[in-house]
Amino acid sequence: MSPRTGHLPLVVGALLLSASCGAPPQALPTSPPLPRLSAATPASGAAPATLPTTMPTYTPPTTVYTTTPVRTTVPTTITTSPSPTRSHAPRCTGEPTAAQIVTELKESPAVPDKELTVTDGPYCAGAWAFATVTLVGAESAEPLSVVTTGKGATLEIVTAGTDVCNPRVKAEAPAGIRVLACGE
């Protein structure tokens, strides 16, 4: 390589760098000039007569709502026979009598040794009976419900107390006695 051509790449690079700069920056544009106040404009600084003195009012856009039509249905009438209302057992016409129930209760160690009286019943269904008994002279004591089975010499107390709806009554008693004892 000759000494003249050795500097050639440097000269070409310098020329390229100086050519890539482009034109020098220009001044930024300015805003248009403000209007000059004339002698007709009051000194109070009010707006010139050519500008509006009130601003236009804002009217919001109206919103349109659409509704979905409501589907109506015609009720279907289903005729069913009413479920039978369970009635309680009727009053006993024979045994056990109120006196027999009180006698049987007095033999129970769970019942106080006081005078007892049947205040409601007895009601019978099959061999079962239900009665309500209270202690005479004890107004604050709750009445006892009594469920029995059998008649005469075979009369037996199934349960007595304030809640006589026990498993045996639920499982074995006729429906009329269960209505009285359990409310079923």
Side-chain angles (χ1 to χ4, degrees):
M1 210 192 254
S2 76
R4 287 185 192 185
T5 59
H7 294 301
L8 188 60
L10 288 176
V11 172
V12 171
L15 284 175
L16 285 174
L17 283 175
S18 65
S20 66
C21 291
Q26 297 179 0
L28 294 174
T30 59
S31 66
L34 293 174
R36 298 206 176 254
L37 295 177
S38 65
T41 304
S44 66
T50 58
L51 295 177
T53 57
T54 60
M55 295 295 293
T57 58
Y58 172 72
T59 306
T62 54
T63 305
V64 177
Y65 294 99
T66 59
T67 59
T68 305
V70 178
R71 298 182 83 186
T72 57
T73 58
V74 177
T76 305
T77 304
I78 299 174
T79 306
T80 60
S81 60
S83 60
T85 304
R86 294 188 180 216
S87 60
H88 64 78
R91 283 200 178 269
C92 298
T93 56
E95 291 186 344
T97 64
Q100 288 172 323
I101 291 174
V102 168
T103 302
E104 195 67 29
L105 264 178
K106 285 189 176 192
E107 293 178 12
S108 171
V111 178
D113 191 23
K114 304 261 180 179
E115 185 180 348
L116 302 172
T117 184
V118 173
T119 55
D120 193 19
Y123 298 96
C124 290
W128 291 70
F130 176 90
T132 304
V133 178
T134 57
L135 295 171
V136 175
E139 288 86 28
S140 63
E142 267 191 81
L144 297 175
S145 296
V146 181
V147 177
T148 63
T149 187
K151 296 184 191 274
T154 63
L155 185 63
E156 162 196 356
I157 294 179
V158 175
T159 185
T162 55
D163 181 13
V164 293
C165 188
N166 67 19
R168 182 175 176 199
V169 171
K170 286 181 179 181
E172 298 177 24
I177 299 298
R178 282 195 317 269
V179 167
L180 291 164
C182 302
E184 297 180 353

